[in-house]
């Protein structure tokens, strides 16, 4: 098992990030402020239900957290989930660098 395979499965996170609307929502939440579905819906052409669906996908993979304030749900980004995804990509990148170094060594020797 490689180092990358030993990490928690990042595929669901990358799948969630593979949608333009979800990326846009995550970008809006990246300032650290929690926002309601109503607030997040105002800047889009989407219905509240559609925004809710996208936020639930982000929540399911840990990219956003939800808290209740009265009758309202507030969503906030979870930067640690992105850090885990970035760590995975760095691990894969390091493996590629090692493989290229070994290939270069074989070719040059």
């Amino acid at each position: 098992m490689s180092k990358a395979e030993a990490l928690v499965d990042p595929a669901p996170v990358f799948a969630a990030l593979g949608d333009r609307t979800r990326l846009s929502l995550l970008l809006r939440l990246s300032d650290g402020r929690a926002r309601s579905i109503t607030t997040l819906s105002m800047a889009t052409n989407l219905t509240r239900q559609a925004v809710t669906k996208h936020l639930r996908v982000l929540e399911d993979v840990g990219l956003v957290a939800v808290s209740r304030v009265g009758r309202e749900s507030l969503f906030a980004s979870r930067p640690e989930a992105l850090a885990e995804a970035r760590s995975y990509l760095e691990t894969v990148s390091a493996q590629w660098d090692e493989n290229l170094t070994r290939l270069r060594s074989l070719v040059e020797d």
Side-chain angles (χ1 to χ4, degrees), residues 1 6-7 13 39 72 75-76:
M1 178 182 292
L7 298 173
V13 171
T39 301
E72 202 167 48
F75 288 84

Side-chain angles (χ1 to χ4, degrees), residues 28-35 39 75-77:
R28 290 199 63 208
L29 293 170
S30 66
D31 64 2
R33 291 180 33 211
R35 291 183 175 83
T39 301
F75 288 84
S77 68

Side-chain angles (χ1 to χ4, degrees), residues 11-95:
V13 171
F14 289 118
L17 293 173
D19 180 273
R20 185 172 297 148
T21 299
R22 289 192 284 270
L23 283 175
S24 173
L25 290 168
L26 199 57
L27 182 62
R28 290 199 63 208
L29 293 170
S30 66
D31 64 2
R33 291 180 33 211
R35 291 183 175 83
S36 68
I37 293 169
T38 302
T39 301
L40 291 167
S41 299
M42 285 192 291
T44 70
N45 293 328
L46 300 172
T47 63
R48 290 184 66 221
Q49 291 78 16
V51 170
T52 301
K53 183 186 103 186
H54 286 291
L55 288 169
R56 294 295 179 210
V57 171
L58 293 172
E59 181 188 14
D60 287 347
V61 298
L63 290 169
V64 299
V66 62
S67 60
R68 299 281 302 177
V69 176
R71 296 178 57 182
E72 202 167 48
S73 296
L74 297 179
F75 288 84
S77 68
R78 291 189 62 245
E80 57 274 11
L82 279 178
E84 291 173 12
R86 184 176 67 212
S87 174
Y88 175 82
L89 290 176
E90 288 171 352
T91 300
V92 171
S93 177
Q95 288 176 347

